[in-house]
Amino acid sequence: MFFRNRAFFLIFLLIFYFISYIPYSKPQAASLYPVYAKNGVVSSSDRIASEVGVEILKKGGNAVDAAIAVALALAVTYPTAGNLGGGGFMLIRMADGKTTAIDYRETAPAKASRDMYLDREGKVIPSSSSIGYLAVGIPGTVAGLKLALEKYGTMKWQDLVEPAYRLAKDGFPVSYWLAHTLSTNTDLVDRFPRGVSGPRELLSKFPESKRIFLRDGNYYKVGEILKQPELAQTLERLQKEGPDEFYQGTTAQLIVKDMKKHGGIITLEDLKGYKPVVREALRGDYRGYEIITMPPPSSGGIALIEMLNILEQYDLKSLGFNSSQRNHLIIETMRRAFADRAEFLGDPGFVKVPIKGLISKNYASQISKSINLNKATQSQEIKPGQAFSYESDSTTHFSIVDSMGNAVANTYTLNGSYGSGATVTGAGFLLNNEMDDFTAKIGVPNDYGLIQGDANSITAGKRPLSSMTPTIVLKDGKLFLVIGSPGGPTIINTVLQVILNVIDHNMNVQQAIDAPRFHHQWLPDIVVFEPYGFSLDLVDLLKNKGHIFSSKAGYIGNAQGVMIDPQTNFRLGGSDSRGADARSAGY
Ligand code: GLY
């Protein structure tokens, strides 16, 4: 027999091992394979934008160059969240280890004030912080992209604007998802807060938005070409005159003209005075992996590290994915971190945030002592009937790794889907409704059902607290995972669960993203899980421990990630199956 010869047997084993080895490909959960690429990968919520990024990488641009082109392309092809009129966070880690967090979050205009959304009786005026011109924070996206390019980019601004300009001028084919959401008044997963039933109703309130995105009722059909000539002109001005044009040129004037006409408060001085901020990234560790993430005014990084520190004290791997005991521990952890979020977090330029304490291991071990392994802790009072939204398309994240190992995790947003609903007349882009991320009134939930404290109250020049959590994970000091997601407060729990899935449950980036998710945010005291995410048995086991479940179920997040296979150095792109047009592209 062949195997009687021990040497042959060993050679056979060796060959078998090498043939069967495909990096990170032994699936624990049914899922598409990630995109495997030798050089670079872009994972974004829109396939056209991902391709734009890869083209920039192929031309020799680095991950930061690609990020700028992708962000601008998304502003054209993904109007629900891609933007010029919003803001966000870009976390950059260069191959040499240098790490920077660029904060280009919107700021409250000079005329903004603490009680600006209250009526004479002190009640919040419905939708005033989330629909229309008064809901708009000073946009930071263009300034943020400019700063990223100056610090780390290698290509010319003009060349990075070109793909977006072409897409706006020549148009792009409308996808099934975009046609559906713009015509039917529901997005495909049926989540829309703000007292309007969907994008169509929101955009119909503003003639310019109605004309451009709804074609005055002659809705775009799948495959039709959507051209945006005013947006193309704006991009052409930005291309020719540079990014400052947005804050000081014709574009700024168009914004202010619209503000004056429609009761908004943003002035030319507000726009001229906008400044992105370079911040030091937050760092933590989890089971030997280093976690690099976004500091305040994001709440995401602090909450993520706090939760990982708490969960590190339990053997989640042995408890098993989606077991009742594991999920109980995670829910209890979420509940506690979100309570801290509400109490302590705000813009560090205006309030003192106890960052060190919140992310310390000692604090986590103190907190974990309050977790009962068998019983849910009650959050404070539950307000019956409180809206609990967990929309997914309001913000968008992309992750990029280039051939040199530079990495970008960028999350940016208009806040709600299609932002405030208002499009700048003559400039063709939507404005954010980021003011709703502030506390309009203490104790009153915002559009995400978040009850927030004084630390996040409105002050001129202040940045509203965010949940955006662009994150980079290192293994043995080397780049391992780039990840982030949209979804308001669910962002933090989405990023948490993807990291747990990779580190504790050994999933590849695509499996980790696709695996079902759940969410708890302290108040309301409700667990939300995705359709088919929990079995009835699991729900019963958790109910027996005292957990309360939402009767509503919806998809949570739209995560986009890149993972590096440490053995082969291949880049693995993972794009969320919850995002209709989300795709990774690589080369
Ligand atoms: N606008 C959503 C967030 O920043 O969390």
Side-chain angles (χ1 to χ4, degrees), residues 105 395 413 415 434 437 448 466-468 488 491:
R105 181 78 163 157
T395 300
T413 186
N415 190 24
E434 217 66 59
D437 270 348
Y448 294 107
S466 170
S467 297
M468 294 186 285
I491 293 173

Side-chain angles (χ1 to χ4, degrees), residues 128-140:
S128 55
S129 64
S130 56
I131 296 182
Y133 296 85
L134 207 55
V136 184
I138 304 166

